[in-house]
Amino acid sequence: MDYEDYNPKHFYEVTGRVIENRRSYHIPKTNILFYEYFLEKEKPLKGQEENLNVHLNRGEKFIVLVHKEDSTISFFGYVDPRFRKESFEKAKE
């Protein structure tokens, strides 16, 4: 199911981190983002999403939308500008 198949009120936002961002081998080529969320837990949960128009590098953070009743259901939310600034400052160092 896609995010559009759910009611947006059934989700909340958490911080996620990119594990890998790669192109699929299928036709047509799509972007696949592998990520983890609930970063504060000993074993964060993992998710993936295809066909995103955003390119993030490994380790970059973003907002993940997590279902309130089933935390294994998650979707890419958006890139918070604070994370971009943090990422830029680390690269600058």
Side-chain angles (χ1 to χ4, degrees):
M1 290 179 69
D2 294 326
Y3 178 72
E4 292 78 22
D5 298 327
Y6 293 93
N7 182 336
K9 293 178 183 178
H10 294 160
F11 288 84
Y12 61 97
E13 299 179 354
V14 300
T15 301
R17 179 175 43 220
V18 176
I19 298 172
E20 183 180 0
N21 193 344
R22 66 178 154 158
R23 303 283 282 165
S24 74
Y25 294 103
H26 304 304
I27 304 290
K29 300 277 189 214
T30 59
N31 189 37
I32 306 172
L33 183 73
F34 297 89
Y35 59 90
E36 60 186 357
Y37 56 104
F38 291 134
L39 303 176
E40 69 283 352
K41 291 188 175 185
E42 188 174 324
K43 282 192 148 199
L45 294 177
K46 295 182 180 183
Q48 72 181 52
E49 188 139 356
E50 293 187 39
N51 298 324
L52 294 176
N53 291 328
V54 64
H55 183 80
L56 297 171
N57 296 314
R58 183 183 174 129
E60 283 192 82
K61 295 179 181 175
F62 63 95
I63 299 299
V64 177
L65 304 174
V66 180
H67 196 274
K68 291 177 180 177
E69 294 179 11
D70 184 352
S71 60
T72 64
I73 299 172
S74 66
F75 296 96
F76 177 87
Y78 60 93
V79 178
D80 189 316
R82 294 173 297 166
F83 297 149
R84 286 285 190 185
K85 182 179 178 193
E86 179 185 306
S87 195
F88 176 75
E89 288 173 358
K90 283 183 183 177
K92 204 169 138 183
E93 290 175 359

